[in-house]
Amino acid sequence: MEQVKEGNVRRVNGEGGNLVKLSTTRFGYIEVDESRVIMVTEGIPGFEHLKRYAILPLDKKTPFWWFQSVEDGGIAFVVVDPYILKPDYNPVISEDDMRFLKIECKEDMALMVIVTIRSNPFVVSANLRAPIVVNLKKRLAKQIVLGNSSYPVCYNMVSREPVNKVRCPERDLMQQWQPLPVSL
């Protein structure tokens, strides 16, 4: 059995496939099957330098998961299936994004949204404006900011409506965000 150490990551090559062992701040040392790692080629905005993630269950009694960076054990996002929050959620994923992620049919695609848990436990919000789109077959993902969307950046998971009465840092950041001009 061969071990290769890279920062807080240790690859173990042996029987049964390759495992990635990593030290995390939330779970201690964990092992992740290399074939289950998802590549976020452009990174999550603000964390563009981190490309490899694993989905870990938060608790078997909740619909939440951890989207744990494999490259930095201190970075993990709480995520949830947006259809649990809003069954009529229907974001438009562009053909360019579908091609970028090599998604051939919608059955190969899954969506997750990042959850923000504030110090006030009644303000738990999900970012419906920027879902993480995952190609389940190719293990590729991208967080896509939906243009011209009515979906809120801060969707209150308790009241099931947009967060308007409290300050929402994610919404403030999204209002400042402008796509860079592209010249062909």
Side-chain angles (χ1 to χ4, degrees):
M1 183 181 316
E2 178 187 348
Q3 293 190 6
V4 181
K5 188 172 182 184
E6 301 170 16
N8 68 329
V9 177
R10 183 176 304 236
R11 296 187 195 302
V12 180
N13 303 321
E15 291 180 35
N18 294 334
L19 295 178
V20 178
K21 288 186 176 186
L22 61 143
S23 173
T24 69
T25 56
R26 287 167 187 80
F27 310 108
Y29 284 96
I30 62 170
E31 291 182 350
V32 177
D33 184 332
E34 182 76 38
S35 69
R36 307 289 301 159
V37 171
I38 295 171
M39 177 66 78
V40 184
T41 54
E42 294 181 352
I44 301 293
F47 299 88
E48 291 87 354
H49 62 290
L50 301 174
K51 310 288 188 197
R52 301 174 67 232
Y53 290 84
I55 298 175
L56 307 173
L58 179 69
D59 182 321
K60 292 181 182 187
K61 299 174 188 165
T62 72
F64 301 104
W65 308 302
W66 286 105
F67 197 49
Q68 173 69 56
S69 169
V70 173
E71 297 154 315
D72 184 337
I75 303 296
F77 302 95
V78 176
V79 294
V80 68
D81 179 338
Y83 299 104
I84 291 172
L85 306 176
K86 195 161 177 50
D88 62 345
Y89 187 64
N90 191 21
V92 176
I93 309 301
S94 74
E95 288 183 29
D96 287 342
D97 287 326
M98 297 284 276
R99 269 192 301 278
F100 179 83
L101 291 169
K102 301 176 184 171
I103 296 172
E104 296 173 5
C105 63
K106 293 226 178 205
E107 290 75 25
D108 295 344
M109 180 175 72
L111 299 177
M112 304 181 293
V113 292
I114 294 179
V115 173
T116 302
I117 303 169
R118 293 177 179 71
S119 57
N120 177 348
F122 296 106
V123 183
V124 177
S125 64
N127 183 350
L128 297 180
R129 176 79 54 87
I132 298 171
V133 181
V134 181
N135 179 329
L136 298 169
K137 281 188 175 177
K138 307 265 187 200
R139 316 279 319 153
L140 296 172
K142 179 181 180 183
Q143 186 173 26
I144 297 172
V145 178
L146 302 172
N148 299 325
S149 173
S150 61
Y151 292 115
V153 175
C154 291
Y155 180 78
N156 188 316
M157 294 174 57
V158 176
S159 68
R160 303 281 175 136
E161 59 189 28
V163 176
N164 291 320
K165 296 184 178 168
V166 296
R167 186 172 176 275
C168 175
E170 295 89 350
R171 181 182 59 233
D172 296 344
L173 183 62
M174 290 295 289
Q175 288 173 345
Q176 296 172 10
W177 181 80
Q178 295 294 321
L180 296 173
V182 177
S183 57
L184 300 175

